[in-house]
């Protein structure tokens, strides 16, 4: 091994931007025709899309089948040049494991990198997120020369931690979080090593899914490898190497030009996470965006300190990765998704913060930390882009998680461990000219799908009692957010099962509105142990709830031990007939609710997408509840009165601050927060690490 110790490589994780162009790549640049280059980009992108689709079709875990997939083609130095994904954080994280391989294994005689090899990795220090995100990559050689790498990164639903489902809510350190693999060779001579597969299977509650997912990644990368070599045979090695590198160069320059067109300014957005895993607590992500010239700098000083003995920590590289959900999907939506985009972005992280994890701390719920940041990034970005292009200034999609996790024996007596896919059915945020889209997807995985319920039920011991739009799931506004889905789960035909949930936002809402629009309500879980639901179902009882709103109605006949819980819930035993209810959040609202067209409110009432209470008390629409006939004069008068009340309740800024500064959350909630209201985490004196050539 080329490094001096067997610890994590703290230098390589700073190699997020493209490596310097090699002499061979530079020599090829002047020989690349513009038309041929455009054809090359299209061909490579189609190869990437084919790889993504093959990975999805061949995999077994919920996330792999329904689109939580990033498929990439990397340069020989490890930079991600071509990326086919809706999981945009992998667009700047996928290269770190590859650069580790280039640095440590290419010249290591006991390992090496040869034609026919395959490498596996899931260490979040290099992957950026958490252990459940696993990747596999293969090198592509032509006549003995390493040309590039091809890789697939996918969330597999189980990684063998002390809790099932890929996320360990009660983790105290990284040793609770299961399989932890820096890049390791698992195949040679076009064959996987059965001894290593056997080891992975032994460390996992659902070995069949684990191994099938590995093989799916490998099969898809091998197909892409063949397609790439066909291009090389046709166009030559020099053209291929030069063009693959040119994609990064063109992307970087285009990103800087796009940033330069935005108004210079400073945009601030403090955001808060309300869970430490198994206990409530408040943590602050303090984001300042500085746009100057052709650079955007993300400054995160004054965020809460490191939180040991909890999984609520994130590596800095994961935060940068999640920023690309905004940059790739919104600001740079018309540019290729690769790490060339980072040429236009800088970052500054405090050294002792929970967003810059160190040592052996747990990071299982790093996705919650990262989406807390991402929500701030969306809010800053909307304000930054509004004056130049209001169509890109969009209220936030649901910026949270609401994911049931499970493990045990299914209805066939087989081991299963995974998550349900409703996180891919959240609402899109409202826009400057229209409502958000209902059940549009996940903000971090906009091309993913939530599947049909029969597919989820087929191999898992759960049934859905319902799954449809939840009319209290989104933010109100001049334009409302898209609705998320509410759903009910019934444990079916097993007495050996564990059920829990991953998420945040049960105390402090995860998603706020834009330009006066409303944010989302808090998330919750309702559980009924020893429920009579299946008995009522067997009698076709028509009173059974058909939606999440129905379960709170007086006529709901379900009986049992009812509990309400935090959306962040450690798994616990569940038995045949037990039920669970939750919802995937909708999008945030845009603009003042009093400016919403009353006809839009009435249409939502007719479609079951808004409650009568909200129509009267939020939108202040006056109408006949039976016929939904609008009273225009009554509505105008009601709204005018609300506006007058707003003016009467107004305060000067000084008076507001005098009152506001006296308020604070309960002290026990601030246990890990740091100094209130501004945590004392600042930049260190040390200069930032300069990126050096990985090879």
């Amino acid at each position: 091994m080329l490094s001096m110790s067997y610890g994590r490589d703290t230098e390589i994780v700073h190699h997020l931007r493209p490596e310097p162009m090699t002499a061979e790549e530079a020599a090829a640049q002047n020989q690349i025709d513009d038309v041929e280059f455009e054809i090359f980009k299209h061909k490579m992108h189609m190869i990437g899309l084919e790889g993504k689709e093959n990975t999805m079709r061949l995999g077994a875990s919920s996330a792999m089948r329904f689109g939580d997939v990033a498929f990439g083609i990397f340069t020989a130095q490890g930079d991600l040049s071509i990326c086919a994904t809706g999981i945009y954080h992998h667009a700047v994280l996928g290269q770190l494991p590859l650069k580790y391989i280039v640095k440590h294994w290419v010249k290591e005689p006991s390992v090496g990198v040869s034609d026919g090899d395959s490498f596996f990795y899931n260490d979040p220090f290099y992957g950026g997120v958490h252990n459940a995100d696993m990747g596999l990559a293969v090198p592509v050689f032509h006549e003995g020369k390493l040309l590039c790498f091809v890789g697939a990164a996918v969330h597999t639903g189980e990684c063998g931690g002390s809790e099932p489902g890929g996320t360990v809510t009660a983790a105290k350190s990284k040793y609770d979080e299961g399989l932890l693999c820096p890049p390791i060779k698992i195949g040679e001579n076009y064959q996987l090593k059965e001894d290593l597969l056997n080891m992975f299977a032994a460390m996992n509650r659902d070995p069949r899914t684990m191994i099938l997912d590995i093989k799916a990644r490998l099969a898809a990368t091998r197909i892409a490898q063949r397609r790439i070599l066909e291009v090389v045979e046709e166009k030559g090695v020099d053209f291929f190497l030069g063009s693959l590198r040119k994609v990064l160069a063109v992307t970087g320059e285009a990103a800087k030009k796009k940033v330069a067109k935005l108004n210079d300014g400073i945009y601030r957005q403090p955001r808060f996470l309300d869970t430490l895993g198994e206990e409530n607590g408040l943590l602050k992500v303090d984001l300042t965006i500085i746009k100057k010239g052709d650079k955007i700098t993300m400054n995160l000083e004054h965020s809460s300190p490191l939180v040991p003995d909890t999984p609520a920590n994130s590596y800095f590289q994961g935060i940068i990765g999640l920023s690309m959900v905004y940059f790739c999907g919104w600001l740079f939506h018309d540019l290729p998704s690769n790490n060339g985009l980072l040429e236009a972005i800088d970052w500054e992280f405090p050294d002792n913060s929970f967003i810059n994890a160190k040592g052996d701390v747990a990071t299982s719920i790093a996705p919650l930390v990262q989406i807390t940041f991402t929500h701030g990034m969306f809010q800053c970005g909307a304000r930054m882009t509004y004056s130049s292009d209001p169509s890109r200034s969009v209220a936030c999609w649901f910026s949270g998680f609401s994911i049931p996790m499970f493990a045990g024996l299914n209805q066939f007596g087989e081991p299963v461990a995974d998550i349900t896919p409703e996180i891919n059915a959240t609402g899109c945020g409202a826009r400057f000219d229209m409502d958000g889209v209902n059940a549009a997807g996940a903000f971090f995985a906009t091309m993913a799908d939530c599947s049909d319920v029969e597919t989820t039920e087929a191999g898992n011991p759960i049934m859905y009692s319902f799954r449809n739009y939840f009319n209290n799931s989104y933010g109100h506004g001049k334009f409302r957010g898209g609705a998320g889905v509410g759903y009910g789960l019934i444990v079916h035909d097993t007495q050996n099962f564990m059920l829990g949930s991953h998420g945040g936002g049960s105390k402090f809402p995860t998603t706020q509105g834009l330009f006066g629009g409303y944010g989302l309500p808090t998330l919750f879980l309702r559980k009924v142990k020893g429920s009579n639901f299946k008995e009522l179902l067997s009698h076709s009882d028509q009173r059974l709830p058909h939606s999440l709103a129905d379960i709170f109605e007086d006529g709901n006949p379900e009986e049992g031990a009812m509990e309400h819980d935090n959306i962040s819930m450690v798994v616990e035993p569940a038995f045949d007939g037990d039920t669970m209810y939750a919802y995937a959040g909708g999008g945030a609202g845009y603009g003042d609710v009093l400016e919403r067209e009353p006809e839009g409110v009435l249409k939502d009432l007719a479609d079951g997408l808004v409650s009568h209470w909200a129509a009267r008390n939020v939108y202040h629409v006056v109408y006949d509840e039976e016929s939904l006939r609008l009273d225009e004069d009554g509505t105008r008068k009601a709204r005018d009165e609300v506006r007058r009340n707003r003016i009467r309740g107004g305060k000067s800024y000084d008076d507001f601050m005098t009152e506001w500064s006296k308020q604070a959350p309960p002290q026990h909630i601030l246990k890990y927060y740091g100094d209130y209201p501004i945590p004392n985490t600042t930049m260190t004196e040390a200069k930032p690490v300069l990126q050096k050539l990985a090879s």
Side-chain angles (χ1 to χ4, degrees), residues 496-522:
N496 191 336
F497 202 56
M498 301 285 287
L499 194 58
S501 180
H502 170 62
S506 289
K507 300 294 182 181
F508 189 95
T510 61
T511 311
Q512 70 180 40
L514 185 64
F515 301 147
Y518 281 28
L520 271 60
T522 52

Side-chain angles (χ1 to χ4, degrees), residues 47-109:
I47 292 171
L49 285 175
E50 182 187 25
K52 175 176 175 282
E53 292 296 321
N54 282 325
T55 307
M56 292 171 59
R57 295 178 187 279
L58 295 171
S61 62
S62 291
M64 184 174 284
R65 286 182 293 156
F66 306 131
D68 194 346
V69 176
F71 195 91
I73 302 172
F74 305 77
T75 69
Q77 296 167 281
D79 285 307
L80 179 56
S81 182
I82 306 295
C83 186
T85 182
I87 317 297
Y88 288 121
H89 53 270
H90 290 302
V92 298
L93 294 175
Q95 69 268 21
L96 291 179
L98 275 298
K99 292 185 178 184
Y100 181 99
I101 292 170
V102 171
K103 178 178 179 179
H104 292 287
W105 299 145
V106 167
K107 296 180 180 179
E108 168 56 52

